[in-house]
């Protein structure tokens, strides 16, 4: 299956949209703020007239604006410290062509309204949309100073080619055959290598890149830590197979184009490709309960409700996961199963007895410099 046509998050600003359900990823971007600021500060010390950046896999919603504002503020802060006029900034927003670019362009008017023409230390900002897959070339040679990407690079360019059926699963799990796990890793290797190769051409010498992706800390990608969110979705679809609502062959042929890489796998690939040095590489976890507590604290309508963040937690998690995979599930199984499958998913999440510490998204962030 060619992901370029089918992979995108739910568009718009409605209840089911990625925009309304991407708070966890936003918290992840905030955890990498320091790495982004350090990269921008280093770039500003080379006095560029224009700083050209790209946010790859930007999707649409608050996180797109969050990345832009972290960069703009970091430029303003560094130029103030240096006592210099800030460089102008061009922010290229990239995603697959089916992404809801319109919603971003409308929301961007807010940032532009605040920063058009620049104030004393606020840089002038310009935005463009760049549709296309970042596993290929999307910018001219040596045209970028800074590349950012968050929560996108775990999506593979295609469903891995499997020699065996991943029976009862839609991602890697303890019952997944070795060959299936290997095929996912090999697809990730191929994709991440192409990503680095393309960026090595597009980023100028000394340019920076900060990449954050869903990853893992365990050796084996089939461990529970990595399949915590996907295993219950497989269980929900499998229930529907037993009830005759989904064809077994359809279930057998569905595997998410996804891979949770470990920091070691990432550093090995960066070294093998050879164009970048690693400034920083770390993993951190985003606990769902902490995210839900913060979300409820910010929601005035929840002020008088119980302050137990577990109330409504699984409904919010199910909505967040649905916002990300609904188009893929609908394309493979048809739209008719969507409400049923995600209602079951929520129930399974809620009733599952397993290690609560796995109720988290493990993230890996790597900060890179293009060699001279
Ligand atoms: N960066 C945002 C959005 C992450 S959602 C955030 O941190 O919240 C992941 C996004 O990556 C989706 O919008 C998806 O369409 C995009 N994506 C996945 N594969 C891609 C590819 N090959 N090229 C460009 N974008 C891709």
């Amino acid at each position: 299956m060619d992901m370029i046509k089918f992979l995108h998050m739910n568009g718009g600003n409605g209840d089911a949209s990625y925009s309304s359900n991407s708070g966890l990823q936003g918290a992840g971007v905030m955890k990498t703020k320091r790495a982004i600021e350090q990269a921008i500060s280093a770039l500003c010390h080379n006095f560029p007239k224009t700083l050209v950046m790209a946010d790859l896999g930007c999707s649409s919603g608050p996180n797109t604006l969050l990345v832009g504002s972290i960069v703009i503020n970091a430029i303003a802060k560094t130029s103030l410290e240096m006592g210099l006029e800030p460089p102008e900034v061009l922010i290229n927003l990239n995603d697959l062509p089916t992404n809801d670019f319109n919603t971003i362009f409308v929301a961007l008017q807010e940032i532009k309204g605040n920063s058009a023409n620049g104030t004393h230390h606020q840089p002038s900002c310009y935005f463009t949309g760049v549709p296309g897959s970042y596993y290929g070339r999307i910018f001219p040679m040596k045209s970028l100073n800074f590349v950012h990407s968050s929560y996108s690079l775990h999506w593979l360019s295609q469903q891995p080619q499997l020699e065996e059926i991943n029976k009862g699963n839609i991602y890697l799990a303890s019952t997944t055959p070795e060959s299936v796990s290997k095929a996912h890793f090999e697809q990730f290797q191929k994709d991440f290598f192409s990503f680095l190769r393309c960026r090595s051409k597009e980023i100028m010498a000394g340019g920076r890149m900060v990449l954050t992706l869903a990853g893992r800390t365990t050796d084996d990608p089939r461990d529970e830590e990595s399949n915590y969110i996907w295993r219950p979705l497989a269980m929900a679809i499998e229930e529907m197979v037993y009830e005759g609502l989904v064809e077994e062959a359809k279930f057998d042929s569905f595997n998410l184009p996804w891979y949770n890489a470990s920091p070691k796998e990432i550093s090995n690939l960066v070294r093998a490709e050879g164009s970048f040095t690693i400034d920083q590489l770390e993993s951190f976890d985003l606990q769902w309960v902490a995210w839900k507590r913060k979300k409820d604290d910010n929601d005035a309508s929840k002020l008088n409700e119980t302050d137990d963040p577990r109330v409504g937690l699984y409904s919010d998690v199910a909505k967040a996961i649905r916002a990300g995979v609904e188009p893929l599930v609908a394309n493979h199984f048809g739209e008719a199963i969507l409400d049923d499958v995600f209602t079951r998913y929520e129930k399974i999440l809620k009733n599952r007895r397993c290690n609560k510490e796995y109720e988290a998204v493990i993230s890996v962030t790597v900060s890179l410099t293009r060699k001279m």
Side-chain angles (χ1 to χ4, degrees):
M1 182 165 42
D2 181 1
M3 288 309 131
I4 294 185
K5 292 199 196 92
F6 303 115
L7 181 68
H8 60 94
M9 308 295 106
N10 275 348
N13 288 315
D15 198 39
S17 64
Y18 183 77
S19 178
S20 304
N21 293 288
S22 49
L24 191 73
Q25 294 89 325
V29 171
M30 283 310 288
K31 288 210 177 193
T32 66
K33 187 168 171 243
R34 189 87 198 99
I36 301 174
E37 286 172 348
Q38 280 169 348
I40 295 295
S41 165
L43 290 168
C44 287
H45 280 82
N46 287 330
F47 314 109
K49 275 210 168 68
T50 306
L51 196 145
V52 182
M53 76 157 275
D55 188 24
L56 307 183
C58 64
S59 194
S60 91
N63 299 347
T64 316
L65 305 186
L66 177 63
V67 173
S69 64
I70 291 174
V71 168
I72 292 166
N73 290 336
I75 295 175
K77 185 166 167 261
T78 311
S79 24
L80 187 65
E81 281 164 7
M82 294 168 70
L84 292 172
E85 283 298 307
E88 296 194 317
V89 55
L90 172 61
I91 303 186
N92 292 286
L93 299 171
N94 154 261
D95 208 288
L96 293 171
T98 41
N99 182 53
D100 182 4
F101 281 98
N102 281 341
T103 299
I104 317 178
F105 291 149
V106 172
L108 276 180
Q109 297 315 308
E110 288 169 33
I111 292 203
K112 278 189 115 176
N114 295 337
S115 65
N117 304 324
T119 55
H120 186 44
H121 279 287
Q122 277 290 322
S124 302
C125 281
Y126 303 90
F127 294 90
T128 62
V130 179
S133 171
Y134 48 54
Y135 292 128
R137 286 286 307 278
I138 40 177
F139 296 100
M141 296 283 272
K142 298 190 193 328
S143 59
L144 302 172
N145 302 94
F146 179 59
V147 165
H148 175 267
S149 180
S150 53
Y151 298 101
S152 306
L153 283 159
H154 43 250
W155 286 110
L156 304 173
S157 66
Q158 60 178 66
Q159 216 173 262
Q161 302 293 322
L162 305 183
E163 288 160 14
E164 287 173 88
I165 292 177
N166 190 11
K167 200 71 189 165
N169 299 307
I170 58 167
Y171 180 58
L172 309 181
S174 57
T175 52
T176 296
E178 178 79 36
S179 73
V180 172
S181 180
K182 197 160 161 260
H184 277 75
F185 173 56
E186 282 170 0
Q187 187 63 51
F188 175 78
Q189 247 182 331
K190 208 166 141 212
D191 287 341
F192 197 69
F193 195 88
S194 304
F195 177 88
L196 292 173
R197 236 323 105 85
C198 293
R199 299 304 79 75
S200 76
K201 301 208 164 72
E202 297 165 354
I203 299 178
M204 43 189 101
R208 297 290 186 117
M209 181 146 78
V210 176
L211 311 174
T212 301
L213 50 160
R216 70 177 203 277
T217 58
T218 57
D219 279 344
D220 192 331
R222 291 171 293 181
D223 283 348
E224 190 180 359
E225 180 194 82
S226 311
N227 65 45
Y228 190 83
I229 50 173
W230 301 127
R231 180 74 197 120
L233 188 56
M235 287 159 78
I237 303 172
E238 195 170 33
E239 258 183 27
M240 294 178 76
V241 171
Y242 290 144
E243 291 172 27
L245 300 168
V246 168
E247 271 176 50
E248 187 165 4
K250 278 255 157 209
F251 180 43
D252 286 347
S253 61
F254 185 66
N255 275 281
L256 285 173
W258 176 283
Y259 187 73
N260 294 92
S262 67
K264 193 161 167 228
E265 287 168 349
I266 291 173
S267 66
N268 286 346
L269 282 166
V270 171
R271 289 202 182 94
E273 196 280 330
S275 312
F276 295 91
T277 51
I278 298 179
D279 302 315
Q280 213 180 316
L281 174 62
E282 59 175 18
S283 60
F284 58 88
D285 62 7
L286 294 167
Q287 294 286 336
W288 287 351
V289 168
W291 157 66
K292 176 73 165 102
R293 187 174 287 127
K294 198 151 170 238
K295 189 166 179 270
D296 290 350
D297 286 350
N298 291 336
D299 184 346
S301 69
K302 298 247 164 91
L303 279 184
N304 296 324
E305 289 181 12
T306 163
D307 42 356
D308 179 357
R310 284 196 180 273
V311 175
L313 173 68
Y314 300 101
S315 147
D316 282 4
V317 172
K319 266 163 74 181
I321 299 302
R322 181 172 180 168
V325 292
E326 182 173 290
L328 274 185
V329 175
N331 175 63
H332 190 85
F333 295 100
E335 287 194 2
I337 77 157
L338 290 174
D339 285 342
D340 198 352
V341 86
F342 284 101
T343 306
R344 289 168 194 258
Y345 177 61
E346 181 186 329
K347 218 190 254 162
I348 296 169
L349 278 175
K350 204 182 284 173
N351 295 333
R352 236 174 143 211
R353 277 179 213 290
C354 47
N355 198 337
K356 295 287 177 217
E357 106 196 23
Y358 291 139
E359 292 186 337
V361 171
I362 306 294
S363 306
V364 178
T365 295
V366 62
S367 198
L368 304 164
T369 299
R370 174 72 174 94
K371 288 182 185 165
M372 292 292 173

